[in-house]
Amino acid sequence: MGVTTAPKTRRVKKPGRLIAEIICVVIAGMVAFPVYWMVLSAFKPTGQIQAENPRPWTLTPTLEHFERVLSGEGFALFFLNSVIVAVVVVALSLLLSFLSAVALTRFNFKGKTVLLVMVLVAQMVPVEALTIPLFFLMRSVGDVAPAFGTNHLGSLILVHLAFSLPFAIWMLRGFVAAVPQELEEASKIDGASRMRFTWQILFPLVAPGLVAISVLAFIHAWNDFLFAKTFIISNTENQTLPLAILVFFKPEDTDWGAVMAGSTLMTIPVLVFFILVQRRLVSVMGGAVKG
């Protein structure tokens, strides 16, 4: 007797799910198309970029735009300045937000609720509304501490830190609160001090949240143009990468090839940073879905 096998059933997707997937693909295409066009324009010859009917492809790619950007005066220095600002902002944001979240979650003190409300309100204030007051504040700070005044990278670090911390503290507070209080009590019974529990047990457990904060802080500091243009006025040696690309914008003849090439080069560090932390970032999303 032959062995009969049950016929394979083909899974049919529900119409609602199929429509949702189509919408997601369309949205992903709309988000990815500007990036594709930026990279494409960076490799297009100048004549094809300025054509009346530009095509979404090129058969004659060129590196002339990248050569013009990389050979520009001070590009390497601007790149280094952006790296310094972004790395310092990320490091300080992680440290200060973690300690603040621990204090707001694990300790009871007077004014705790008021402080939490202030942290929440600080996220609601538009950046543009605070730019001018911050400029005068940084100019006054420069009289006392020149390294943190206008025309110095310290002013950019302080401002980015001020805008990154409220959201970082509020987000990380949820991760710290999710760690059971019984775990801290068990560590105390085993003889671990509060400091040891904080850094050897609590810190690794909230690492996914720290990764998410680092990504947001890095992107905000790296892509910033408003603060860099406002606080770095005359000292060109302290300008960051977005200001280096501004050189190629001219009133009558903008060098779009160089602009797109510079923008492409600016995107590479963000992609590298995201690739390095993507595993931890995926665990954050997985934890959020399970929660």
Side-chain angles (χ1 to χ4, degrees), residues 98-99 102 193-204:
F98 173 69
L99 295 177
V102 171
S193 62
R194 184 181 294 274
M195 185 69 67
R196 184 177 181 183
F197 168 78
T198 301
W199 292 108
Q200 295 187 6
I201 300 177
L202 185 59
F203 187 83

Side-chain angles (χ1 to χ4, degrees), residues 13 43-45 63 78 82 100 144 146 161 173 176 182 205 208 211-212 218-219 222 224 230 245 278 284 288:
K13 292 184 178 180
F43 288 96
K44 272 186 175 183
L63 296 176
F78 298 154
S82 293
S100 301
V144 181
L161 195 60
R173 177 176 170 270
V176 176
E182 293 78 9
L205 290 176
V211 170
F218 183 87
I219 293 176
W222 182 262
D224 169 66
T230 303
I245 299 178
Q278 65 173 338
V284 175

